[in-house]
PDB file of all heavy atoms in Angstrom:
ATOM      1  N   GLY G 276       0.800  -1.211   0.000  1.00  0.00           N
ATOM      2  CA  GLY G 276       0.000   0.000   0.000  1.00  0.00           C
ATOM      3  C   GLY G 276       0.832   1.260   0.000  1.00  0.00           C
ATOM      4  O   GLY G 276       0.360   2.275   0.456  1.00  0.00           O
ATOM      5  N   ARG G 277       2.083   1.199  -0.461  1.00  0.00           N
ATOM      6  CA  ARG G 277       2.953   2.353  -0.362  1.00  0.00           C
ATOM      7  C   ARG G 277       2.478   3.471  -1.277  1.00  0.00           C
ATOM      8  O   ARG G 277       1.852   3.257  -2.304  1.00  0.00           O
ATOM      9  CB  ARG G 277       4.396   1.971  -0.695  1.00  0.00           C
ATOM     10  CG  ARG G 277       4.600   1.413  -2.083  1.00  0.00           C
ATOM     11  CD  ARG G 277       6.066   1.028  -2.258  1.00  0.00           C
ATOM     12  NE  ARG G 277       6.300   0.505  -3.591  1.00  0.00           N
ATOM     13  CZ  ARG G 277       6.152  -0.753  -3.937  1.00  0.00           C
ATOM     14  NH1 ARG G 277       5.737  -1.624  -3.045  1.00  0.00           N
ATOM     15  NH2 ARG G 277       6.401  -1.170  -5.159  1.00  0.00           N
ATOM     16  N   TRP G 278       2.843   4.726  -0.894  1.00  0.00           N
ATOM     17  CA  TRP G 278       2.446   5.899  -1.667  1.00  0.00           C
ATOM     18  C   TRP G 278       3.331   6.039  -2.894  1.00  0.00           C
ATOM     19  O   TRP G 278       4.510   5.709  -2.876  1.00  0.00           O
ATOM     20  CB  TRP G 278       2.580   7.143  -0.801  1.00  0.00           C
ATOM     21  CG  TRP G 278       1.607   7.191   0.320  1.00  0.00           C
ATOM     22  CD1 TRP G 278       1.789   6.719   1.579  1.00  0.00           C
ATOM     23  CD2 TRP G 278       0.299   7.730   0.283  1.00  0.00           C
ATOM     24  NE1 TRP G 278       0.670   6.926   2.325  1.00  0.00           N
ATOM     25  CE2 TRP G 278      -0.256   7.543   1.565  1.00  0.00           C
ATOM     26  CE3 TRP G 278      -0.464   8.353  -0.710  1.00  0.00           C
ATOM     27  CZ2 TRP G 278      -1.532   7.971   1.890  1.00  0.00           C
ATOM     28  CZ3 TRP G 278      -1.735   8.772  -0.389  1.00  0.00           C
ATOM     29  CH2 TRP G 278      -2.256   8.579   0.897  1.00  0.00           C
ATOM     30  N   PRO G 279       2.819   6.622  -3.978  1.00  0.00           N
ATOM     31  CA  PRO G 279       3.651   6.900  -5.143  1.00  0.00           C
ATOM     32  C   PRO G 279       4.747   7.892  -4.791  1.00  0.00           C
ATOM     33  O   PRO G 279       4.577   8.766  -3.948  1.00  0.00           O
ATOM     34  CB  PRO G 279       2.662   7.498  -6.156  1.00  0.00           C
ATOM     35  CG  PRO G 279       1.313   7.093  -5.664  1.00  0.00           C
ATOM     36  CD  PRO G 279       1.419   6.967  -4.191  1.00  0.00           C
ATOM     37  N   ALA G 280       5.902   7.800  -5.500  1.00  0.00           N
ATOM     38  CA  ALA G 280       7.036   8.670  -5.209  1.00  0.00           C
ATOM     39  C   ALA G 280       6.680  10.136  -5.390  1.00  0.00           C
ATOM     40  O   ALA G 280       7.139  11.005  -4.642  1.00  0.00           O
ATOM     41  CB  ALA G 280       8.209   8.288  -6.101  1.00  0.00           C
ATOM     42  N   SER G 281       5.843  10.453  -6.388  1.00  0.00           N
ATOM     43  CA  SER G 281       5.470  11.846  -6.630  1.00  0.00           C
ATOM     44  C   SER G 281       4.730  12.445  -5.446  1.00  0.00           C
ATOM     45  O   SER G 281       4.926  13.617  -5.094  1.00  0.00           O
ATOM     46  CB  SER G 281       4.615  11.947  -7.894  1.00  0.00           C
ATOM     47  OG  SER G 281       3.438  11.176  -7.751  1.00  0.00           O
ATOM     48  N   VAL G 282       3.869  11.643  -4.800  1.00  0.00           N
ATOM     49  CA  VAL G 282       3.132  12.130  -3.639  1.00  0.00           C
ATOM     50  C   VAL G 282       4.082  12.355  -2.471  1.00  0.00           C
ATOM     51  O   VAL G 282       4.010  13.356  -1.744  1.00  0.00           O
ATOM     52  CB  VAL G 282       2.014  11.139  -3.254  1.00  0.00           C
ATOM     53  CG1 VAL G 282       1.310  11.596  -1.980  1.00  0.00           C
ATOM     54  CG2 VAL G 282       1.019  10.995  -4.394  1.00  0.00           C
ATOM     55  N   VAL G 283       5.004  11.426  -2.264  1.00  0.00           N
ATOM     56  CA  VAL G 283       5.978  11.557  -1.181  1.00  0.00           C
ATOM     57  C   VAL G 283       6.811  12.820  -1.361  1.00  0.00           C
ATOM     58  O   VAL G 283       7.040  13.586  -0.427  1.00  0.00           O
ATOM     59  CB  VAL G 283       6.887  10.312  -1.119  1.00  0.00           C
ATOM     60  CG1 VAL G 283       7.982  10.503  -0.069  1.00  0.00           C
ATOM     61  CG2 VAL G 283       6.065   9.070  -0.786  1.00  0.00           C
ATOM     62  N   CYS G 284       7.287  13.061  -2.603  1.00  0.00           N
ATOM     63  CA  CYS G 284       8.092  14.252  -2.874  1.00  0.00           C
ATOM     64  C   CYS G 284       7.310  15.535  -2.612  1.00  0.00           C
ATOM     65  O   CYS G 284       7.832  16.499  -2.037  1.00  0.00           O
ATOM     66  CB  CYS G 284       8.582  14.227  -4.323  1.00  0.00           C
ATOM     67  SG  CYS G 284       9.820  12.957  -4.646  1.00  0.00           S
ATOM     68  N   ALA G 285       6.057  15.554  -3.043  1.00  0.00           N
ATOM     69  CA  ALA G 285       5.229  16.737  -2.824  1.00  0.00           C
ATOM     70  C   ALA G 285       5.046  17.020  -1.342  1.00  0.00           C
ATOM     71  O   ALA G 285       5.101  18.183  -0.899  1.00  0.00           O
ATOM     72  CB  ALA G 285       3.881  16.557  -3.513  1.00  0.00           C
ATOM     73  N   VAL G 286       4.817  15.978  -0.548  1.00  0.00           N
ATOM     74  CA  VAL G 286       4.659  16.149   0.896  1.00  0.00           C
ATOM     75  C   VAL G 286       5.941  16.676   1.520  1.00  0.00           C
ATOM     76  O   VAL G 286       5.934  17.574   2.371  1.00  0.00           O
ATOM     77  CB  VAL G 286       4.232  14.817   1.542  1.00  0.00           C
ATOM     78  CG1 VAL G 286       4.246  14.945   3.062  1.00  0.00           C
ATOM     79  CG2 VAL G 286       2.843  14.422   1.068  1.00  0.00           C
ATOM     80  N   LEU G 287       7.093  16.140   1.092  1.00  0.00           N
ATOM     81  CA  LEU G 287       8.379  16.595   1.624  1.00  0.00           C
ATOM     82  C   LEU G 287       8.627  18.063   1.301  1.00  0.00           C
ATOM     83  O   LEU G 287       9.090  18.836   2.134  1.00  0.00           O
ATOM     84  CB  LEU G 287       9.512  15.733   1.067  1.00  0.00           C
ATOM     85  CG  LEU G 287       9.596  14.293   1.615  1.00  0.00           C
ATOM     86  CD1 LEU G 287      10.688  13.523   0.881  1.00  0.00           C
ATOM     87  CD2 LEU G 287       9.864  14.298   3.115  1.00  0.00           C
ATOM     88  N   VAL G 288       8.340  18.458   0.048  1.00  0.00           N
ATOM     89  CA  VAL G 288       8.518  19.857  -0.347  1.00  0.00           C
ATOM     90  C   VAL G 288       7.640  20.771   0.504  1.00  0.00           C
ATOM     91  O   VAL G 288       8.073  21.842   0.958  1.00  0.00           O
ATOM     92  CB  VAL G 288       8.200  20.035  -1.841  1.00  0.00           C
ATOM     93  CG1 VAL G 288       8.126  21.515  -2.201  1.00  0.00           C
ATOM     94  CG2 VAL G 288       9.243  19.330  -2.690  1.00  0.00           C
ATOM     95  N   LEU G 289       6.394  20.339   0.758  1.00  0.00           N
ATOM     96  CA  LEU G 289       5.489  21.144   1.571  1.00  0.00           C
ATOM     97  C   LEU G 289       6.024  21.306   2.986  1.00  0.00           C
ATOM     98  O   LEU G 289       6.002  22.400   3.563  1.00  0.00           O
ATOM     99  CB  LEU G 289       4.104  20.505   1.590  1.00  0.00           C
ATOM    100  CG  LEU G 289       3.032  21.198   2.452  1.00  0.00           C
ATOM    101  CD1 LEU G 289       2.794  22.617   1.927  1.00  0.00           C
ATOM    102  CD2 LEU G 289       1.743  20.401   2.443  1.00  0.00           C
ATOM    103  N   ILE G 290       6.516  20.204   3.563  1.00  0.00           N
ATOM    104  CA  ILE G 290       7.044  20.255   4.931  1.00  0.00           C
ATOM    105  C   ILE G 290       8.237  21.195   5.004  1.00  0.00           C
ATOM    106  O   ILE G 290       8.368  22.022   5.914  1.00  0.00           O
ATOM    107  CB  ILE G 290       7.418  18.846   5.414  1.00  0.00           C
ATOM    108  CG1 ILE G 290       6.150  17.988   5.591  1.00  0.00           C
ATOM    109  CG2 ILE G 290       8.191  18.904   6.730  1.00  0.00           C
ATOM    110  CD1 ILE G 290       6.431  16.549   5.897  1.00  0.00           C
ATOM    111  N   ILE G 291       9.164  21.083   4.028  1.00  0.00           N
ATOM    112  CA  ILE G 291      10.358  21.936   4.021  1.00  0.00           C
ATOM    113  C   ILE G 291       9.955  23.405   3.902  1.00  0.00           C
ATOM    114  O   ILE G 291      10.516  24.282   4.567  1.00  0.00           O
ATOM    115  CB  ILE G 291      11.298  21.515   2.871  1.00  0.00           C
ATOM    116  CG1 ILE G 291      11.886  20.128   3.161  1.00  0.00           C
ATOM    117  CG2 ILE G 291      12.421  22.527   2.688  1.00  0.00           C
ATOM    118  CD1 ILE G 291      12.634  19.526   2.001  1.00  0.00           C
ATOM    119  N   SER G 292       8.972  23.704   3.048  1.00  0.00           N
ATOM    120  CA  SER G 292       8.521  25.083   2.874  1.00  0.00           C
ATOM    121  C   SER G 292       7.948  25.649   4.164  1.00  0.00           C
ATOM    122  O   SER G 292       8.221  26.800   4.539  1.00  0.00           O
ATOM    123  CB  SER G 292       7.479  25.150   1.761  1.00  0.00           C
ATOM    124  OG  SER G 292       8.008  24.675   0.544  1.00  0.00           O
ATOM    125  N   VAL G 293       7.153  24.851   4.869  1.00  0.00           N
ATOM    126  CA  VAL G 293       6.555  25.300   6.125  1.00  0.00           C
ATOM    127  C   VAL G 293       7.632  25.560   7.165  1.00  0.00           C
ATOM    128  O   VAL G 293       7.603  26.568   7.896  1.00  0.00           O
ATOM    129  CB  VAL G 293       5.534  24.257   6.632  1.00  0.00           C
ATOM    130  CG1 VAL G 293       5.079  24.604   8.047  1.00  0.00           C
ATOM    131  CG2 VAL G 293       4.338  24.182   5.693  1.00  0.00           C
ATOM    132  N   VAL G 294       8.617  24.648   7.250  1.00  0.00           N
ATOM    133  CA  VAL G 294       9.707  24.824   8.224  1.00  0.00           C
ATOM    134  C   VAL G 294      10.496  26.087   7.912  1.00  0.00           C
ATOM    135  O   VAL G 294      10.847  26.873   8.797  1.00  0.00           O
ATOM    136  CB  VAL G 294      10.621  23.586   8.224  1.00  0.00           C
ATOM    137  CG1 VAL G 294      11.864  23.845   9.064  1.00  0.00           C
ATOM    138  CG2 VAL G 294       9.869  22.380   8.768  1.00  0.00           C
ATOM    139  N   ALA G 295      10.791  26.313   6.620  1.00  0.00           N
ATOM    140  CA  ALA G 295      11.556  27.503   6.240  1.00  0.00           C
ATOM    141  C   ALA G 295      10.787  28.783   6.565  1.00  0.00           C
ATOM    142  O   ALA G 295      11.358  29.769   7.048  1.00  0.00           O
ATOM    143  CB  ALA G 295      11.880  27.436   4.757  1.00  0.00           C
ATOM    144  N   LEU G 296       9.490  28.787   6.317  1.00  0.00           N
ATOM    145  CA  LEU G 296       8.674  29.953   6.611  1.00  0.00           C
ATOM    146  C   LEU G 296       8.638  30.233   8.103  1.00  0.00           C
ATOM    147  O   LEU G 296       8.755  31.387   8.541  1.00  0.00           O
ATOM    148  CB  LEU G 296       7.255  29.742   6.067  1.00  0.00           C
ATOM    149  CG  LEU G 296       6.251  30.879   6.334  1.00  0.00           C
ATOM    150  CD1 LEU G 296       6.734  32.159   5.638  1.00  0.00           C
ATOM    151  CD2 LEU G 296       4.865  30.482   5.833  1.00  0.00           C
ATOM    152  N   ALA G 297       8.502  29.179   8.891  1.00  0.00           N
ATOM    153  CA  ALA G 297       8.470  29.352  10.348  1.00  0.00           C
ATOM    154  C   ALA G 297       9.783  29.908  10.857  1.00  0.00           C
ATOM    155  O   ALA G 297       9.837  30.756  11.768  1.00  0.00           O
ATOM    156  CB  ALA G 297       8.158  28.016  11.014  1.00  0.00           C
ATOM    157  N   ALA G 298      10.908  29.465  10.275  1.00  0.00           N
ATOM    158  CA  ALA G 298      12.223  29.950  10.712  1.00  0.00           C
ATOM    159  C   ALA G 298      12.392  31.434  10.407  1.00  0.00           C
ATOM    160  O   ALA G 298      12.961  32.193  11.190  1.00  0.00           O
ATOM    161  CB  ALA G 298      13.314  29.134  10.026  1.00  0.00           C
ATOM    162  N   SER G 299      11.895  31.855   9.207  1.00  0.00           N
ATOM    163  CA  SER G 299      12.040  33.256   8.843  1.00  0.00           C
ATOM    164  C   SER G 299      11.199  34.174   9.701  1.00  0.00           C
ATOM    165  O   SER G 299      11.548  35.326   9.970  1.00  0.00           O
ATOM    166  CB  SER G 299      11.666  33.443   7.367  1.00  0.00           C
ATOM    167  OG  SER G 299      10.286  33.163   7.171  1.00  0.00           O
ATOM    168  N   VAL G 300      10.057  33.683  10.182  1.00  0.00           N
ATOM    169  CA  VAL G 300       9.163  34.491  11.010  1.00  0.00           C
ATOM    170  C   VAL G 300       9.643  34.563  12.453  1.00  0.00           C
ATOM    171  O   VAL G 300       9.638  35.613  13.093  1.00  0.00           O
ATOM    172  CB  VAL G 300       7.726  33.919  10.956  1.00  0.00           C
ATOM    173  CG1 VAL G 300       6.835  34.631  11.990  1.00  0.00           C
ATOM    174  CG2 VAL G 300       7.158  34.074   9.550  1.00  0.00           C
ATOM    175  N   ASN G 301      10.120  33.426  12.979  1.00  0.00           N
ATOM    176  CA  ASN G 301      10.451  33.338  14.401  1.00  0.00           C
ATOM    177  C   ASN G 301      11.943  33.532  14.685  1.00  0.00           C
ATOM    178  O   ASN G 301      12.365  33.537  15.840  1.00  0.00           O
ATOM    179  CB  ASN G 301      10.007  31.987  14.956  1.00  0.00           C
ATOM    180  CG  ASN G 301       8.503  31.794  14.851  1.00  0.00           C
ATOM    181  OD1 ASN G 301       7.743  32.741  15.065  1.00  0.00           O
ATOM    182  ND2 ASN G 301       8.076  30.571  14.533  1.00  0.00           N
ATOM    183  N   GLY G 302      12.765  33.642  13.652  1.00  0.00           N
ATOM    184  CA  GLY G 302      14.203  33.774  13.869  1.00  0.00           C
ATOM    185  C   GLY G 302      14.588  35.134  14.441  1.00  0.00           C
ATOM    186  O   GLY G 302      13.751  36.036  14.572  1.00  0.00           O
ATOM    187  N   PRO G 303      15.907  35.335  14.817  1.00  0.00           N
ATOM    188  CA  PRO G 303      16.352  36.610  15.407  1.00  0.00           C
ATOM    189  C   PRO G 303      16.231  37.764  14.413  1.00  0.00           C
ATOM    190  O   PRO G 303      16.424  37.585  13.225  1.00  0.00           O
ATOM    191  CB  PRO G 303      17.828  36.343  15.746  1.00  0.00           C
ATOM    192  CG  PRO G 303      18.221  35.196  14.874  1.00  0.00           C
ATOM    193  CD  PRO G 303      17.005  34.387  14.678  1.00  0.00           C
ATOM    194  N   HIS G 304      15.872  38.940  14.897  1.00  0.00           N
ATOM    195  CA  HIS G 304      15.719  40.124  14.049  1.00  0.00           C
ATOM    196  C   HIS G 304      16.832  41.124  14.369  1.00  0.00           C
ATOM    197  O   HIS G 304      17.282  41.245  15.506  1.00  0.00           O
ATOM    198  CB  HIS G 304      14.361  40.798  14.289  1.00  0.00           C
ATOM    199  CG  HIS G 304      13.206  39.914  13.902  1.00  0.00           C
ATOM    200  ND1 HIS G 304      12.753  39.822  12.615  1.00  0.00           N
ATOM    201  CD2 HIS G 304      12.436  39.081  14.656  1.00  0.00           C
ATOM    202  CE1 HIS G 304      11.718  38.973  12.571  1.00  0.00           C
ATOM    203  NE2 HIS G 304      11.527  38.527  13.803  1.00  0.00           N
ATOM    204  N   ALA G 305      17.286  41.931  13.372  1.00  0.00           N
ATOM    205  CA  ALA G 305      18.356  42.929  13.577  1.00  0.00           C
ATOM    206  C   ALA G 305      17.821  44.090  14.381  1.00  0.00           C
ATOM    207  O   ALA G 305      16.668  44.480  14.233  1.00  0.00           O
ATOM    208  CB  ALA G 305      18.869  43.408  12.225  1.00  0.00           C
TER     209      ALA G 305
END
């Protein structure tokens, strides 16, 4: 019942994007 590779890649890209956005919002400011 494994997921297709395209679906897995899309989920990974989404997760990375969310993490990057959170870092830019919550990271240290000048």
Side-chain angles (χ1 to χ4, degrees):
R277 60 182 181 273
W278 292 91
S281 60
V282 176
V283 175
C284 290
V286 173
L287 288 175
V288 169
L289 178 61
I290 292 173
I291 292 170
S292 301
V293 171
V294 171
L296 178 63
S299 65
V300 171
N301 298 321
H304 296 276

